[in-house]
Amino acid sequence: QVQLEESGGGLVQAGGSLRLSCTVSRSIFNFDAMGWHRQAPGKQRELVAAITNGGGTNYADSRKGRFTISRDIAKKTVYLQMNSLKPEDTVVYYCHAAMRSTNYWGQGTQVTVSS
């Protein structure tokens, strides 16, 4: 069974930074890709950033330049560094791992940016 454990959410002032962490119970190389999604109340979950098995990265256009996804293979952890945070970044962030046709999700971590 695959488990994703997220940490790093919290409250920050606008312009501040947070780093989210997602530790997976298996080697990162088991997955085709890992990443972060966000979901606002009443809206669909949407991609923030992803990193492929080979290390390639992909970002939602609105987050390019402010957010950076990275990974530590030995720690089986994927990170999302979020800089210059804005109040509109206030949502729940979910870690995601894709293995062939199966998607795995973390429990979500709340990020709140105060103005």
Side-chain angles (χ1 to χ4, degrees), residues 10-19 66-67 80-87 89 93 111-115:
L11 174 64
V12 65
Q13 289 189 331
S17 298
L18 282 175
R19 188 177 77 161
R66 294 195 298 125
F67 291 8
L80 184 67
Q81 178 68 43
M82 304 186 294
N83 298 327
S84 302
L85 283 162
K86 305 175 181 181
D89 295 319
Y93 289 80
V111 170
T112 302
V113 184
S114 63
S115 57

Side-chain angles (χ1 to χ4, degrees), residues 13-24:
Q13 289 189 331
S17 298
L18 282 175
R19 188 177 77 161
L20 305 182
S21 300
C22 175
T23 300
V24 65

Side-chain angles (χ1 to χ4, degrees), residues 94-110:
Y94 293 89
C95 180
H96 169 250
M99 182 190 297
R100 293 183 283 279
S101 60
T102 302
N103 294 299
Y104 300 93
W105 296 93
Q107 78 282 1
T109 185
Q110 175 71 46

